[in-house]
Amino acid sequence: MADALAVEEKTLQVVTFAIDDEWLGFPVVDVVRVEPVTRFPLTRMPRVPDVVEGIINYRGEIFPLVNGRRLLGFDRRQSEGDASVIMVSSG
């Protein structure tokens, strides 16, 4: 009798978002928080890469705010009213 192969099923949960007609996502385990961009006062910084909008203060910690449109090479335009900050763990 042939041995049955065990198949392990894995599910990846993602937080999805759209830029223009493209759907993108981050694994849920890496997402710290999602908030409207208007919730965070932005401090502009001189001499930073074009993709960095500035920095934000979240619970006493300073984080760079990276413009996903610019980072991924989409057309430059102003953020729409429903733009969000997706805080992602880097480690």
Side-chain angles (χ1 to χ4, degrees), residues 16-24 67-70 72-80 82-83:
T16 59
F17 59 98
I19 298 178
D20 294 340
D21 294 331
E22 296 286 331
W23 282 93
L24 307 150
N67 184 312
R69 292 187 67 83
R70 289 184 195 155
L72 298 172
F74 286 87
D75 290 336
R76 293 173 183 258
R77 62 177 156 141
Q78 287 295 95
S79 295
E80 297 170 10
D82 60 349

Side-chain angles (χ1 to χ4, degrees), residues 16-17 28 33 45 48 61 69-70 76 79 84 86:
T16 59
F17 59 98
V28 167
R33 192 163 189 95
M45 299 295 295
V48 295
E61 291 189 57
R69 292 187 67 83
R70 289 184 195 155
R76 293 173 183 258
S79 295
S84 295
I86 302 174

Side-chain angles (χ1 to χ4, degrees), residues 7-42:
V7 177
E8 185 177 332
E9 217 175 283
K10 293 184 179 184
T11 302
L12 176 65
Q13 294 181 323
V14 295
V15 173
T16 59
F17 59 98
I19 298 178
D20 294 340
D21 294 331
E22 296 286 331
W23 282 93
L24 307 150
F26 291 109
V28 167
V29 296
D30 295 336
V31 175
V32 176
R33 192 163 189 95
V34 179
E35 293 281 350
V37 73
T38 54
R39 182 173 180 312
F40 299 99
L42 178 67

